[in-house]
Amino acid sequence: MNISINPSYFCNFSCDFCYLTPEQLKDKKLASLVDIENRLHEVSKFLGTKLNQVDLYGGEIALLDEHYLESLLNIIEKYSELPCNIITNLSKLNNIFSDKR
């Protein structure tokens, strides 16, 4: 099973084709890491195995605080067989992008 996680809507672009509203793109709220881990645990327990793949998207993932992003990748690694896919507009290079996960 593949899972997509959207931890934040915040983005530094306002693309015409974006599925998010201008209000959402300005929103800097973050999904709770505890909630994300609980959901991944529930799905993994239901499946009886690790997830096949986790995609991480937003808003713009590169704009997330590095500590938050590091913690999120640690959580994802516990529940996914494969490295996480990070979907980004590459307007900013985050140091965590060079992580092998």
Side-chain angles (χ1 to χ4, degrees):
M1 173 179 271
N2 298 344
I3 297 279
S4 296
I5 298 173
N6 182 343
S8 173
Y9 292 146
F10 182 65
C11 186
N12 54 341
F13 287 176
S14 297
C15 301
D16 291 338
F17 54 84
C18 187
Y19 63 95
L20 296 170
T21 67
E23 292 77 25
Q24 288 173 312
L25 294 171
K26 293 176 189 170
D27 189 351
K28 293 186 178 184
K29 285 186 284 189
L30 297 173
S32 160
L33 293 172
V34 171
D35 289 346
I36 291 171
E37 180 157 20
N38 287 341
R39 300 268 169 90
L40 290 175
H41 176 75
E42 288 172 14
V43 171
S44 182
K45 186 176 176 182
F46 176 79
L47 295 173
T49 185
K50 285 187 169 190
L51 302 166
N52 293 333
Q53 184 66 52
V54 175
D55 294 334
L56 195 54
Y57 72 104
E60 177 46 45
I61 297 302
L63 300 177
L64 296 174
D65 173 78
E66 284 192 35
H67 177 71
Y68 178 91
L69 188 53
E70 173 72 26
S71 297
L72 181 56
L73 289 176
N74 287 336
I75 291 167
I76 291 169
E77 185 177 37
K78 285 196 257 184
Y79 298 99
S80 181
E81 293 179 359
L82 298 173
C84 178
N85 286 323
I86 297 177
I87 293 84
T88 176
N89 62 27
L90 284 177
S91 61
K92 175 185 174 190
L93 291 178
N94 191 307
N95 290 332
I96 203 78
F97 289 173
S98 63
D99 190 297
K100 292 180 182 179
R101 292 173 288 177

